[in-house]
Amino acid sequence: MTKGNVAAPAPHRTPPEHVHPRDVPLETALAALSDPVRLALVRELAASDDWERTCGSFDVPVRKAALSHHFAVLRSAGLIEQRDAGAKRINRLRRAEFEERFPGLLALVLQQQAPGGGPE
Amino acid sequence: MTKGNVAAPAPHRTPPEHVHPRDVPLETALAALSDPVRLALVRELAASDDWERTCGSFDVPVRKAALSHHFAVLRSAGLIEQRDAGAKRINRLRRAEFEERFPGLLALVLQQQAPGGGPE
DNA sequence: CTAGTTGTTCGCCTCGCATCGAACAGTCTA
DNA sequence: TAGACTGTTCGATGCGAGGCGAACAACTAG
């Protein structure tokens, strides 16, 4: 209570806490990938080089608060790694590690698009 | 209003409505498999022969109402097929069809158990 | 220093999901 | 026919996930 009621949030330049895919339960990985926004993030990230995309550079229909949340979920699922670069935070898809823990899952997610993709 | 307020639910012996894996979005499949109860159902089912397991024969910690719901979810995700056999309803895992639609996913789910399974 | 950019955290709200008990509809067995 | 058994549906409940705006912190650019 040093400052009335104004909560003092932890400094956000704490290095992002990462979870290695090795320590991720299958349910967590599947849940992380079952959200359309996160799926879009992963796919866009997969189409870019490592450490090339900042968090704000993705084309998803949510505001930055929600976006930040989704990145945290992806981190907790061992899907991405983040690094601070100046004021920005850059991302990398953990292809190899995730593939080792969940063989084929990432590939499935990246190549699958929509059901019934062919003509009717 | 024939019987006061007692609603008359639709007869439940309507043959179960199935969804072919072909028509299932990836998100739906992943979401279906990201629940621990449903994961247990799928695994137990995979360890049995087709049409051998009734709905009530699974070892999961939920009551029958929730159980019925989970089976409906699995059906909607193209993961199982159900058939009426007398008073019981028997189940079958749609191995081949699901594998064709989501290659490797079922295998992943069936072989993966818990994270950090090895010694530290 | 001042102003703009980037991303996290907080508080709040709104849904959707999982769960349960109760009621019901079939089926099977005495 | 009565009763036991199986599974679905309804209605209510609790809880967590996802969304937003606002405030904040760190960095960059002038």
Side-chain angles (χ1 to χ4, degrees), chain A residues 21-28 30-31 33-36 39 43 100-105 108-116, chain B residues 21-28 30-31 33-36 39 43 100-105 108-116:
Chain A
R22 180 192 313 126
D23 302 320
V24 173
L26 176 63
E27 291 94 321
T28 302
L30 295 177
L33 291 170
S34 68
D35 180 274
L39 214 39
R43 282 169 173 159
E100 186 171 347
R101 170 73 176 94
F102 303 109
L105 183 51
L108 180 74
V109 157
L110 294 183
Q111 76 188 45
Q112 296 275 335
Q113 294 296 345
Chain B
R22 180 193 313 126
D23 303 319
V24 173
L26 176 62
E27 293 93 322
T28 301
L30 296 177
L33 291 170
S34 68
D35 178 274
L39 213 41
R43 282 168 173 161
E100 186 170 346
R101 170 73 177 93
F102 302 109
L105 183 51
L108 179 75
V109 157
L110 294 183
Q111 76 188 46
Q112 296 274 334
Q113 294 296 345

Side-chain angles (χ1 to χ4, degrees), chain B:
Chain B
M1 322 276 216
T2 55
K3 290 241 175 193
N5 260 354
V6 191
H12 88 289
R13 272 304 127 137
T14 295
E17 288 190 14
H18 289 109
V19 177
H20 195 283
R22 180 193 313 126
D23 303 319
V24 173
L26 176 62
E27 293 93 322
T28 301
L30 296 177
L33 291 170
S34 68
D35 178 274
V37 172
R38 288 193 291 265
L39 213 41
L41 292 177
V42 167
R43 282 168 173 161
E44 235 180 289
L45 200 49
S48 316
D49 287 337
D50 286 0
W51 311 122
E52 271 210 346
R53 303 297 299 268
T54 67
C55 291
S57 73
F58 291 82
D59 185 30
V60 287
V62 293
R63 303 251 171 245
K64 55 181 184 172
L67 191 56
S68 185
H69 164 68
H70 284 303
F71 275 111
V73 172
L74 290 178
R75 240 176 10 223
S76 301
L79 272 160
I80 66 169
E81 195 178 352
Q82 296 186 307
R83 172 192 301 175
D84 286 335
K88 310 191 174 180
R89 183 160 278 188
I90 51 180
N91 301 273
R92 169 194 161 249
L93 189 62
R94 307 183 83 158
R95 291 178 175 275
E97 307 106 290
F98 196 84
E99 162 71 16
E100 186 170 346
R101 170 73 177 93
F102 302 109
L105 183 51
L106 204 45
L108 179 75
V109 157
L110 294 183
Q111 76 188 46
Q112 296 274 334
Q113 294 296 345
E120 197 59 16

Side-chain angles (χ1 to χ4, degrees), chain A residues 38-62:
Chain A
R38 289 192 291 265
L39 214 39
L41 293 177
V42 167
R43 282 169 173 159
E44 235 180 289
L45 200 48
S48 316
D49 287 336
D50 287 359
W51 311 123
E52 270 210 345
R53 305 294 300 266
T54 67
C55 291
S57 72
F58 291 82
D59 184 30
V60 287
V62 293

